[in-house]
Amino acid sequence: MENILLITIGAALVNNVVLSQFLGLCPFLGVSKKVETAAGMGGAVIFVITLASFVCGIIEKFILIPAHLEYLNTIVFILIIAALVQFVEMFLHKSMPSLYNSLGVYLPLITTNCAVLGIALKNVQNGYGIITGTVNGLFTAVGFSIAIVIMAGIREQIEYNDFPEAFKGSASVLFTAGLMAIAFFGFSGII
Amino acid sequence: MTGIIIAGVLIAGVGIFIGVFLGVAGEKFEVEVDPRETQILEVLPGNNCGGCGYPGCSGLAAAIVKGEAPVNQCPVGGAPVGAKIGEIMGVAAEEGERKVAFVKCIGTCDKAKNDYNYIGLKDCSMAKRVPGGGAKSCNYGCLGFGSCVKACPFDAIHVINGVAKVDKEACKACGKCIAACPNGLIEFVPYSATQIVQCSNKDMGKQVMQVCQAGCIACHLCEKNCPSEAITVENNIAHIDQSKCTRCGTCAEKCPKKVISVL
Protein backbone atom coordinates (compact mmCIF):
# COMPACT_ATOMS: atom_id res chain seq x y z
CA MET A 1 0.00 0.00 0.00
CA GLU A 2 2.79 2.37 0.95
CA ASN A 3 4.51 1.44 -2.25
CA ILE A 4 1.46 2.44 -4.30
CA LEU A 5 1.22 5.77 -2.47
CA LEU A 6 4.86 6.47 -3.29
CA ILE A 7 4.23 5.62 -6.92
CA THR A 8 1.25 7.96 -7.16
CA ILE A 9 3.10 10.97 -5.77
CA GLY A 10 6.29 10.08 -7.59
CA ALA A 11 4.51 9.72 -10.93
CA ALA A 12 2.33 12.82 -10.63
CA LEU A 13 4.77 15.33 -9.17
CA VAL A 14 8.34 14.21 -8.58
CA ASN A 15 9.02 12.42 -11.85
CA ASN A 16 6.52 14.54 -13.76
CA VAL A 17 6.26 13.06 -17.24
CA VAL A 18 6.63 16.38 -19.04
CA LEU A 19 8.83 18.40 -16.75
CA SER A 20 11.37 15.84 -15.63
CA GLN A 21 11.19 13.04 -18.19
CA PHE A 22 10.56 15.21 -21.27
CA LEU A 23 7.91 12.91 -22.70
CA GLY A 24 4.77 14.12 -24.43
CA LEU A 25 6.21 17.53 -25.22
CA CYS A 26 4.36 18.08 -28.48
CA PRO A 27 0.84 18.26 -27.02
CA PHE A 28 2.36 20.13 -24.08
CA LEU A 29 3.53 22.89 -26.41
CA GLY A 30 0.85 22.52 -29.06
CA VAL A 31 -2.43 22.32 -27.14
CA SER A 32 -1.59 24.63 -24.24
CA LYS A 33 -2.89 27.92 -25.62
CA LYS A 34 -6.13 27.92 -23.65
CA VAL A 35 -6.91 26.38 -20.26
CA GLU A 36 -10.11 24.88 -21.62
CA THR A 37 -8.50 22.91 -24.45
CA ALA A 38 -5.56 21.99 -22.24
CA ALA A 39 -7.95 20.46 -19.72
CA GLY A 40 -9.68 18.55 -22.54
CA MET A 41 -6.36 17.19 -23.72
CA GLY A 42 -5.41 16.30 -20.13
CA GLY A 43 -8.65 14.36 -19.69
CA ALA A 44 -8.13 12.42 -22.91
CA VAL A 45 -4.52 11.62 -21.96
CA ILE A 46 -5.55 10.34 -18.51
CA PHE A 47 -8.13 8.12 -20.17
CA VAL A 48 -5.81 6.66 -22.81
CA ILE A 49 -2.65 6.23 -20.70
CA THR A 50 -4.52 4.39 -17.95
CA LEU A 51 -6.11 2.06 -20.46
CA ALA A 52 -2.88 1.57 -22.42
CA SER A 53 -0.86 0.81 -19.27
CA PHE A 54 -3.42 -1.80 -18.29
CA VAL A 55 -3.59 -3.50 -21.70
CA CYS A 56 0.17 -3.38 -22.26
CA GLY A 57 0.69 -4.87 -18.78
CA ILE A 58 -1.55 -7.79 -19.72
CA ILE A 59 0.18 -8.31 -23.07
CA GLU A 60 3.61 -8.24 -21.42
CA LYS A 61 2.64 -10.69 -18.70
CA PHE A 62 0.61 -13.22 -20.67
CA ILE A 63 2.11 -13.11 -24.17
CA LEU A 64 5.60 -11.65 -24.32
CA ILE A 65 7.14 -13.11 -21.13
CA PRO A 66 5.88 -16.69 -21.65
CA ALA A 67 7.17 -16.59 -25.26
CA HIS A 68 10.52 -15.05 -24.16
CA LEU A 69 10.00 -12.16 -26.54
CA GLU A 70 10.40 -9.26 -24.10
CA TYR A 71 12.73 -7.52 -26.54
CA LEU A 72 9.78 -7.03 -28.92
CA ASN A 73 7.78 -5.00 -26.44
CA THR A 74 8.37 -1.62 -28.13
CA ILE A 75 6.97 -2.81 -31.46
CA VAL A 76 4.08 -4.70 -29.95
CA PHE A 77 3.13 -1.84 -27.65
CA ILE A 78 3.07 0.62 -30.54
CA LEU A 79 0.68 -1.65 -32.43
CA ILE A 80 -1.48 -2.19 -29.36
CA ILE A 81 -1.69 1.49 -28.44
CA ALA A 82 -2.53 2.60 -31.98
CA ALA A 83 -5.25 -0.03 -32.27
CA LEU A 84 -6.53 0.71 -28.79
CA VAL A 85 -6.98 4.40 -29.46
CA GLN A 86 -8.79 3.63 -32.71
CA PHE A 87 -11.04 1.17 -30.97
CA VAL A 88 -11.77 3.47 -28.04
CA GLU A 89 -12.68 6.22 -30.47
CA MET A 90 -15.16 3.99 -32.31
CA PHE A 91 -16.57 2.66 -29.06
CA LEU A 92 -17.10 6.11 -27.59
CA HIS A 93 -18.58 7.47 -30.80
CA LYS A 94 -21.20 4.74 -30.74
CA SER A 95 -22.01 4.30 -27.09
CA MET A 96 -21.01 7.50 -25.31
CA PRO A 97 -21.46 10.36 -27.79
CA SER A 98 -21.30 13.02 -25.07
CA LEU A 99 -17.88 11.87 -23.85
CA TYR A 100 -16.79 11.48 -27.48
CA ASN A 101 -17.79 15.08 -28.20
CA SER A 102 -15.98 16.44 -25.18
CA LEU A 103 -12.75 14.55 -25.92
CA GLY A 104 -13.31 15.37 -29.58
CA VAL A 105 -10.24 15.82 -31.71
CA TYR A 106 -7.80 15.04 -28.89
CA LEU A 107 -8.35 11.28 -28.90
CA PRO A 108 -6.77 10.47 -32.27
CA LEU A 109 -3.97 12.96 -31.54
CA ILE A 110 -2.91 10.90 -28.56
CA THR A 111 -1.97 7.91 -30.72
CA THR A 112 1.22 9.73 -31.54
CA ASN A 113 1.87 10.98 -28.01
CA CYS A 114 5.15 9.42 -26.95
CA ALA A 115 4.18 9.62 -23.27
CA VAL A 116 1.71 6.76 -23.78
CA LEU A 117 4.34 4.39 -25.14
CA GLY A 118 6.93 5.77 -22.74
CA ILE A 119 4.84 4.92 -19.68
CA ALA A 120 4.04 1.41 -20.94
CA LEU A 121 7.77 0.75 -21.44
CA LYS A 122 8.71 2.33 -18.11
CA ASN A 123 6.23 0.06 -16.33
CA VAL A 124 8.11 -2.92 -17.78
CA GLN A 125 11.55 -1.47 -16.97
CA ASN A 126 10.60 -0.78 -13.37
CA GLY A 127 9.14 -4.27 -13.03
CA TYR A 128 5.64 -3.05 -12.14
CA GLY A 129 2.80 -5.59 -12.18
CA ILE A 130 -0.48 -4.97 -13.97
CA ILE A 131 -2.21 -3.15 -11.09
CA THR A 132 0.84 -1.14 -10.04
CA GLY A 133 1.54 -0.30 -13.68
CA THR A 134 -2.01 0.93 -14.22
CA VAL A 135 -1.85 3.12 -11.12
CA ASN A 136 1.51 4.46 -12.29
CA GLY A 137 -0.01 5.19 -15.72
CA LEU A 138 -3.04 6.93 -14.22
CA PHE A 139 -0.99 9.23 -12.00
CA THR A 140 1.63 9.93 -14.63
CA ALA A 141 -1.23 11.14 -16.82
CA VAL A 142 -2.58 13.21 -13.93
CA GLY A 143 0.88 14.77 -13.71
CA PHE A 144 0.71 15.52 -17.44
CA SER A 145 -2.68 17.22 -16.99
CA ILE A 146 -1.39 19.30 -14.07
CA ALA A 147 1.58 20.45 -16.12
CA ILE A 148 -0.39 21.28 -19.28
CA VAL A 149 -3.15 23.15 -17.41
CA ILE A 150 -0.61 25.24 -15.47
CA MET A 151 1.22 25.91 -18.73
CA ALA A 152 -2.00 27.02 -20.44
CA GLY A 153 -2.78 29.34 -17.52
CA ILE A 154 0.64 30.95 -17.78
CA ARG A 155 0.36 31.27 -21.54
CA GLU A 156 -3.00 33.01 -21.23
CA GLN A 157 -1.40 35.48 -18.83
CA ILE A 158 1.65 36.24 -20.97
CA GLU A 159 -0.19 36.34 -24.29
CA TYR A 160 -0.04 40.12 -24.62
CA ASN A 161 3.39 40.61 -23.11
CA ASP A 162 5.79 42.59 -25.18
CA PHE A 163 8.54 40.06 -25.90
CA PRO A 164 11.60 40.93 -27.94
CA GLU A 165 11.16 39.68 -31.50
CA ALA A 166 13.49 36.70 -31.04
CA PHE A 167 11.59 35.38 -28.00
CA LYS A 168 8.12 35.48 -29.52
CA GLY A 169 6.08 32.29 -29.97
CA SER A 170 7.64 28.95 -29.15
CA ALA A 171 10.77 30.45 -27.62
CA SER A 172 8.84 32.10 -24.78
CA VAL A 173 6.85 28.88 -24.27
CA LEU A 174 10.01 26.82 -23.96
CA PHE A 175 11.46 29.33 -21.50
CA THR A 176 8.29 28.99 -19.45
CA ALA A 177 8.53 25.20 -19.61
CA GLY A 178 12.12 25.36 -18.38
CA LEU A 179 11.18 27.57 -15.43
CA MET A 180 8.29 25.23 -14.60
CA ALA A 181 10.68 22.26 -14.70
CA ILE A 182 12.95 24.03 -12.22
CA ALA A 183 9.95 24.70 -9.97
CA PHE A 184 8.88 21.06 -10.12
CA PHE A 185 12.44 20.04 -9.25
CA GLY A 186 11.55 21.27 -5.77
CA PHE A 187 9.33 18.21 -5.31
CA SER A 188 12.30 15.86 -5.61
CA GLY A 189 12.91 15.90 -1.86
CA ILE A 190 9.54 14.47 -0.84
CA ILE A 191 10.11 10.80 -1.66
CA MET B 1 16.69 -19.26 -36.23
CA THR B 2 13.55 -20.47 -34.46
CA GLY B 3 13.68 -17.31 -32.35
CA ILE B 4 13.38 -15.13 -35.43
CA ILE B 5 10.52 -17.21 -36.80
CA ILE B 6 8.63 -17.13 -33.52
CA ALA B 7 9.12 -13.37 -33.29
CA GLY B 8 7.96 -12.88 -36.89
CA VAL B 9 4.94 -15.11 -36.39
CA LEU B 10 3.99 -13.32 -33.16
CA ILE B 11 4.20 -9.83 -34.65
CA ALA B 12 2.32 -10.96 -37.76
CA GLY B 13 -0.25 -12.62 -35.53
CA VAL B 14 -0.73 -9.48 -33.46
CA GLY B 15 -0.98 -7.40 -36.63
CA ILE B 16 -3.56 -9.70 -38.22
CA PHE B 17 -5.54 -9.93 -34.99
CA ILE B 18 -5.62 -6.15 -34.62
CA GLY B 19 -6.58 -5.70 -38.27
CA VAL B 20 -9.47 -8.16 -38.05
CA PHE B 21 -10.52 -6.83 -34.64
CA LEU B 22 -10.62 -3.22 -35.83
CA GLY B 23 -12.40 -4.23 -39.02
CA VAL B 24 -15.11 -6.06 -37.07
CA ALA B 25 -15.32 -3.27 -34.50
CA GLY B 26 -15.64 -0.73 -37.30
CA GLU B 27 -18.67 -2.60 -38.65
CA LYS B 28 -20.19 -3.16 -35.27
CA PHE B 29 -19.73 0.35 -33.89
CA GLU B 30 -20.53 2.14 -37.09
CA VAL B 31 -22.47 5.30 -36.43
CA GLU B 32 -25.07 5.96 -39.06
CA VAL B 33 -24.40 9.28 -40.68
CA ASP B 34 -26.82 10.81 -43.12
CA PRO B 35 -25.02 10.49 -46.49
CA ARG B 36 -26.03 14.07 -47.25
CA GLU B 37 -24.02 15.20 -44.24
CA THR B 38 -20.83 13.75 -45.73
CA GLN B 39 -21.61 15.31 -49.10
CA ILE B 40 -22.21 18.72 -47.53
CA LEU B 41 -19.01 18.43 -45.55
CA GLU B 42 -17.11 17.89 -48.79
CA VAL B 43 -18.59 21.04 -50.31
CA LEU B 44 -17.91 23.23 -47.27
CA PRO B 45 -14.57 25.08 -47.23
CA GLY B 46 -13.18 23.11 -44.28
CA ASN B 47 -11.50 26.01 -42.50
CA ASN B 48 -13.46 25.22 -39.32
CA CYS B 49 -13.48 28.96 -38.67
CA GLY B 50 -16.77 28.92 -36.76
CA GLY B 51 -18.07 31.97 -38.65
CA CYS B 52 -21.43 30.22 -39.07
CA GLY B 53 -21.89 29.92 -35.33
CA TYR B 54 -21.49 26.14 -35.24
CA PRO B 55 -18.42 24.25 -33.98
CA GLY B 56 -16.58 23.74 -37.23
CA CYS B 57 -17.77 22.66 -40.66
CA SER B 58 -19.03 19.26 -39.48
CA GLY B 59 -21.24 21.00 -36.94
CA LEU B 60 -22.80 23.14 -39.66
CA ALA B 61 -23.23 20.13 -41.96
CA ALA B 62 -25.14 18.29 -39.23
CA ALA B 63 -27.28 21.36 -38.54
CA ILE B 64 -28.11 21.82 -42.23
CA VAL B 65 -29.19 18.20 -42.58
CA LYS B 66 -31.38 18.53 -39.48
CA GLY B 67 -32.91 21.64 -41.01
CA GLU B 68 -31.73 23.88 -38.19
CA ALA B 69 -29.58 26.04 -40.44
CA PRO B 70 -30.26 27.49 -43.91
CA VAL B 71 -28.23 26.04 -46.76
CA ASN B 72 -26.33 29.27 -47.28
CA GLN B 73 -25.34 29.65 -43.63
CA CYS B 74 -21.63 29.34 -44.46
CA PRO B 75 -20.33 32.91 -44.70
CA VAL B 76 -17.00 31.81 -46.14
CA GLY B 77 -18.29 29.78 -49.08
CA GLY B 78 -20.98 32.35 -49.81
CA ALA B 79 -23.46 31.91 -52.62
CA PRO B 80 -21.61 29.24 -54.70
CA VAL B 81 -21.31 26.87 -51.74
CA GLY B 82 -24.89 27.67 -50.71
CA ALA B 83 -26.09 26.71 -54.18
CA LYS B 84 -24.19 23.41 -54.10
CA ILE B 85 -25.54 22.53 -50.67
CA GLY B 86 -29.00 23.54 -51.89
CA GLU B 87 -28.63 20.98 -54.68
CA ILE B 88 -27.69 18.28 -52.17
CA MET B 89 -30.59 19.18 -49.89
CA GLY B 90 -32.99 19.68 -52.80
CA VAL B 91 -33.92 23.26 -51.99
CA ALA B 92 -33.10 26.47 -53.77
CA ALA B 93 -30.56 28.67 -52.03
CA GLU B 94 -31.75 32.17 -51.34
CA GLU B 95 -29.61 34.52 -53.35
CA GLY B 96 -27.53 36.92 -51.35
CA GLU B 97 -24.71 39.16 -52.45
CA ARG B 98 -21.23 38.41 -51.19
CA LYS B 99 -20.41 40.50 -48.16
CA VAL B 100 -17.06 41.75 -46.94
CA ALA B 101 -15.96 43.31 -43.70
CA PHE B 102 -15.19 47.02 -43.68
CA VAL B 103 -13.39 49.19 -41.12
CA LYS B 104 -15.25 52.46 -40.66
CA CYS B 105 -12.28 54.66 -39.80
CA ILE B 106 -9.59 56.39 -41.85
CA GLY B 107 -8.02 58.34 -39.00
CA THR B 108 -4.48 57.43 -39.96
CA CYS B 109 -1.43 58.55 -37.98
CA ASP B 110 -1.13 61.83 -39.91
CA LYS B 111 -4.84 62.70 -39.70
CA ALA B 112 -5.88 61.75 -36.17
CA LYS B 113 -4.42 63.37 -33.08
CA ASN B 114 -3.01 61.52 -30.10
CA ASP B 115 -3.57 62.65 -26.50
CA TYR B 116 -0.49 60.93 -25.14
CA ASN B 117 2.12 58.33 -25.89
CA TYR B 118 0.81 54.80 -25.20
CA ILE B 119 3.47 52.23 -24.32
CA GLY B 120 1.28 49.50 -22.77
CA LEU B 121 0.36 46.08 -24.09
CA LYS B 122 -0.03 46.09 -27.84
CA ASP B 123 -3.64 44.99 -27.94
CA CYS B 124 -6.77 46.98 -28.79
CA SER B 125 -8.99 45.73 -25.95
CA MET B 126 -6.19 46.50 -23.48
CA ALA B 127 -5.57 49.97 -24.95
CA LYS B 128 -9.31 50.65 -24.82
CA ARG B 129 -9.28 50.26 -21.03
CA VAL B 130 -6.75 52.99 -20.29
CA PRO B 131 -8.10 56.51 -19.55
CA GLY B 132 -9.59 58.16 -22.62
CA GLY B 133 -10.10 54.83 -24.37
CA GLY B 134 -6.62 54.65 -25.80
CA ALA B 135 -4.08 57.21 -26.88
CA LYS B 136 -6.07 58.43 -29.86
CA SER B 137 -7.94 61.65 -29.16
CA CYS B 138 -10.95 60.18 -30.98
CA ASN B 139 -12.66 57.67 -28.69
CA TYR B 140 -14.42 55.90 -31.55
CA GLY B 141 -11.62 55.33 -34.03
CA CYS B 142 -9.29 52.48 -34.90
CA LEU B 143 -6.70 51.93 -32.18
CA GLY B 144 -4.35 50.28 -34.63
CA PHE B 145 -2.97 47.49 -32.43
CA GLY B 146 -4.37 44.84 -34.71
CA SER B 147 -6.66 42.74 -32.53
CA CYS B 148 -8.63 42.19 -35.72
CA VAL B 149 -5.45 41.17 -37.57
CA LYS B 150 -4.82 38.47 -34.97
CA ALA B 151 -8.43 37.32 -35.13
CA CYS B 152 -8.53 36.98 -38.94
CA PRO B 153 -8.04 33.36 -40.03
CA PHE B 154 -7.60 34.40 -43.67
CA ASP B 155 -4.91 37.08 -43.40
CA ALA B 156 -7.34 39.54 -44.95
CA ILE B 157 -6.99 42.50 -42.60
CA HIS B 158 -3.86 44.55 -41.96
CA VAL B 159 -2.96 47.68 -40.04
CA ILE B 160 -1.71 50.24 -42.54
CA ASN B 161 -0.48 53.58 -41.22
CA GLY B 162 -2.19 53.07 -37.88
CA VAL B 163 -5.60 52.01 -39.19
CA ALA B 164 -6.86 48.52 -39.99
CA LYS B 165 -7.85 47.92 -43.59
CA VAL B 166 -9.65 44.92 -45.04
CA ASP B 167 -8.37 43.24 -48.18
CA LYS B 168 -11.68 42.89 -50.03
CA GLU B 169 -10.52 40.00 -52.18
CA ALA B 170 -9.23 37.88 -49.31
CA CYS B 171 -12.11 38.59 -46.90
CA LYS B 172 -14.48 35.68 -46.38
CA ALA B 173 -16.92 37.52 -44.12
CA CYS B 174 -16.52 35.14 -41.19
CA GLY B 175 -17.12 37.96 -38.71
CA LYS B 176 -14.16 37.23 -36.42
CA CYS B 177 -12.78 40.77 -36.72
CA ILE B 178 -16.19 42.29 -35.97
CA ALA B 179 -16.22 40.44 -32.67
CA ALA B 180 -12.60 41.35 -31.94
CA CYS B 181 -12.86 45.13 -32.40
CA PRO B 182 -13.50 46.79 -29.02
CA ASN B 183 -14.78 49.93 -30.76
CA GLY B 184 -17.24 48.04 -32.98
CA LEU B 185 -15.75 49.72 -36.04
CA ILE B 186 -16.09 46.84 -38.44
CA GLU B 187 -19.29 45.92 -40.26
CA PHE B 188 -20.34 43.90 -43.26
CA VAL B 189 -20.93 45.76 -46.52
CA PRO B 190 -21.85 44.35 -49.94
CA TYR B 191 -18.81 43.43 -52.03
CA SER B 192 -19.84 45.88 -54.75
CA ALA B 193 -20.41 48.82 -52.37
CA THR B 194 -18.32 51.84 -53.34
CA GLN B 195 -19.75 54.56 -51.11
CA ILE B 196 -19.21 53.86 -47.42
CA VAL B 197 -18.87 56.35 -44.57
CA GLN B 198 -15.38 55.79 -43.20
CA CYS B 199 -15.91 57.25 -39.75
CA SER B 200 -17.68 56.16 -36.58
CA ASN B 201 -17.35 59.25 -34.40
CA LYS B 202 -20.66 60.06 -32.72
CA ASP B 203 -19.55 63.42 -31.30
CA MET B 204 -20.67 66.84 -32.55
CA GLY B 205 -18.91 68.29 -35.56
CA LYS B 206 -16.75 70.73 -33.62
CA GLN B 207 -15.34 68.08 -31.32
CA VAL B 208 -14.66 65.81 -34.28
CA MET B 209 -12.75 68.58 -36.06
CA GLN B 210 -10.52 68.98 -33.02
CA VAL B 211 -9.43 65.34 -32.89
CA CYS B 212 -9.30 64.16 -36.50
CA GLN B 213 -9.01 65.61 -39.97
CA ALA B 214 -10.91 62.70 -41.45
CA GLY B 215 -14.03 62.61 -39.33
CA CYS B 216 -17.73 62.84 -40.15
CA ILE B 217 -18.93 66.19 -38.77
CA ALA B 218 -22.62 65.43 -39.39
CA CYS B 219 -23.07 68.38 -41.75
CA HIS B 220 -25.97 66.60 -43.53
CA LEU B 221 -24.63 67.61 -46.99
CA CYS B 222 -24.59 64.00 -48.16
CA GLU B 223 -28.09 63.42 -46.82
CA LYS B 224 -29.47 66.48 -48.63
CA ASN B 225 -27.74 65.76 -51.91
CA CYS B 226 -28.36 62.04 -52.23
CA PRO B 227 -30.72 61.56 -55.22
CA SER B 228 -31.96 58.20 -53.97
CA GLU B 229 -32.43 59.14 -50.30
CA ALA B 230 -30.13 56.38 -49.16
CA ILE B 231 -28.30 58.44 -46.57
CA THR B 232 -29.47 59.25 -43.07
CA VAL B 233 -27.53 61.11 -40.37
CA GLU B 234 -28.15 59.69 -36.91
CA ASN B 235 -26.18 60.24 -33.70
CA ASN B 236 -23.98 62.72 -35.58
CA ILE B 237 -22.82 60.11 -38.05
CA ALA B 238 -23.95 59.56 -41.63
CA HIS B 239 -25.11 56.11 -42.62
CA ILE B 240 -25.63 54.83 -46.16
CA ASP B 241 -28.35 52.28 -46.78
CA GLN B 242 -26.55 50.05 -49.26
CA SER B 243 -29.77 48.52 -50.59
CA LYS B 244 -30.90 51.98 -51.80
CA CYS B 245 -27.49 53.29 -52.90
CA THR B 246 -27.07 53.61 -56.66
CA ARG B 247 -23.28 54.18 -56.49
CA CYS B 248 -23.71 57.60 -58.13
CA GLY B 249 -20.93 59.13 -56.03
CA THR B 250 -22.66 62.46 -55.33
CA CYS B 251 -22.20 62.07 -51.58
CA ALA B 252 -18.46 61.50 -51.88
CA GLU B 253 -18.19 64.61 -54.03
CA LYS B 254 -20.17 66.78 -51.60
CA CYS B 255 -18.54 65.54 -48.39
CA PRO B 256 -16.35 68.41 -47.10
CA LYS B 257 -14.16 66.07 -45.04
CA LYS B 258 -13.86 63.43 -47.77
CA VAL B 259 -14.80 60.59 -45.44
CA ILE B 260 -17.15 58.88 -47.88
CA SER B 261 -15.09 56.45 -49.87
CA VAL B 262 -14.83 56.26 -53.63
CA LEU B 263 -13.27 52.83 -54.08
Side-chain angles (χ1 to χ4, degrees):
Chain A
M1 193 58 221
E2 202 180 317
N3 188 24
I4 296 261
L5 193 66
L6 279 182
I7 287 176
T8 57
I9 295 174
L13 297 174
V14 183
N15 299 317
N16 188 288
V17 64
V18 182
L19 298 171
S20 84
Q21 302 186 51
F22 305 108
L23 288 174
L25 280 178
C26 39
F28 181 66
L29 300 181
V31 203
S32 59
K33 270 197 177 139
K34 282 200 178 115
V35 171
E36 210 174 290
T37 49
M41 185 72 189
V45 166
I46 291 177
F47 188 71
V48 170
I49 290 193
T50 312
L51 212 58
S53 305
F54 179 65
V55 174
C56 289
I58 290 177
I59 300 279
E60 174 78 11
K61 189 165 183 197
F62 295 109
I63 295 180
L64 294 179
I65 292 180
H68 301 293
L69 290 171
E70 292 93 334
Y71 62 91
L72 282 179
N73 58 11
T74 310
I75 298 174
V76 174
F77 287 177
I78 291 175
L79 278 174
I80 298 290
I81 290 167
L84 185 72
V85 174
Q86 281 291 313
F87 174 72
V88 166
E89 202 192 345
M90 282 181 212
F91 178 75
L92 288 183
H93 198 172
K94 178 79 176 177
S95 51
M96 287 177 240
S98 55
L99 184 61
Y100 176 82
N101 284 337
S102 61
L103 294 182
V105 292
Y106 305 117
L107 259 184
L109 279 178
I110 295 170
T111 324
T112 52
N113 185 344
C114 55
V116 184
L117 178 66
I119 299 315
L121 290 175
K122 267 212 120 59
N123 285 342
V124 175
Q125 273 173 22
N126 296 345
Y128 293 152
I130 294 172
I131 305 268
T132 330
T134 310
V135 172
N136 183 38
L138 170 63
F139 281 92
T140 306
V142 169
F144 176 88
S145 308
I146 293 173
I148 196 171
V149 169
I150 294 179
M151 180 59 150
I154 296 175
R155 278 182 82 171
E156 278 187 3
Q157 292 295 318
I158 64 172
E159 196 187 345
Y160 296 120
N161 284 15
D162 206 358
F163 287 112
E165 196 62 43
F167 292 143
K168 273 183 187 157
S170 311
S172 63
V173 180
L174 285 167
F175 268 112
T176 315
L179 291 172
M180 278 173 70
I182 295 172
F184 266 68
F185 190 64
F187 285 117
S188 62
I190 59 177
I191 55 166
Chain B
M1 190 60 199
T2 32
I4 297 177
I5 292 171
I6 292 175
V9 168
L10 185 93
I11 296 291
V14 170
I16 291 169
F17 172 74
I18 287 174
V20 172
F21 174 70
L22 281 183
V24 173
E27 290 273 303
K28 194 156 181 180
F29 290 109
E30 198 181 5
V31 178
E32 278 185 29
V33 181
D34 194 316
R36 288 179 302 178
E37 202 176 315
T38 346
Q39 280 174 309
I40 292 174
L41 198 55
E42 277 166 20
V43 179
L44 287 169
N47 294 77
N48 289 320
C49 66
C52 52
Y54 290 91
C57 294
S58 55
L60 177 60
I64 291 177
V65 170
K66 274 188 209 148
E68 287 168 8
V71 289
N72 57 357
Q73 175 89 4
C74 178
V76 178
V81 166
K84 275 187 209 157
I85 296 175
E87 255 173 55
I88 296 167
M89 293 296 293
V91 290
E94 298 145 41
E95 276 297 317
E97 207 202 329
R98 178 181 165 190
K99 298 211 171 226
V100 290
F102 186 86
V103 185
K104 294 181 293 174
C105 178
I106 45 166
T108 46
C109 297
D110 48 316
K111 288 187 180 141
K113 275 189 203 152
N114 274 354
D115 284 337
Y116 49 85
N117 207 0
Y118 175 81
I119 52 163
L121 297 173
K122 303 234 177 310
D123 180 80
C124 298
S125 49
M126 296 285 179
K128 179 77 185 160
R129 278 166 216 220
V130 302
K136 219 171 221 181
S137 306
C138 170
N139 290 342
Y140 304 90
C142 178
L143 294 155
F145 291 111
S147 286
C148 49
V149 178
K150 277 183 221 152
C152 181
F154 303 100
D155 193 32
I157 188 163
H158 301 279
V159 175
I160 300 163
N161 199 7
V163 169
K165 190 145 179 49
V166 177
D167 176 356
K168 219 161 118 172
E169 303 306 320
C171 179
K172 304 281 184 201
C174 69
K176 289 262 166 80
C177 52
I178 295 178
C181 182
N183 277 342
L185 280 178
I186 310 176
E187 71 169 16
F188 284 137
V189 296
Y191 177 80
S192 60
T194 49
Q195 275 74 39
I196 310 162
V197 182
Q198 302 177 97
C199 180
S200 304
N201 195 314
K202 296 189 181 70
D203 286 340
M204 304 284 281
K206 196 182 162 208
Q207 284 157 297
V208 178
M209 300 256 258
Q210 280 165 357
V211 297
C212 185
Q213 292 169 28
C216 172
I217 50 172
C219 64
H220 295 257
L221 271 180
C222 49
E223 190 181 24
K224 283 174 202 147
N225 284 295
C226 180
S228 47
E229 294 180 346
I231 305 179
T232 44
V233 179
E234 250 178 74
N235 293 330
N236 296 318
I237 182 86
H239 182 262
I240 301 178
D241 184 343
Q242 296 293 345
S243 59
K244 287 188 196 156
C245 177
T246 55
R247 330 278 195 239
C248 68
T250 316
C251 49
E253 240 168 70
K254 296 284 177 191
C255 180
K257 306 300 284 183
K258 298 291 165 217
V259 290
I260 299 180
S261 65
V262 265
L263 295 172

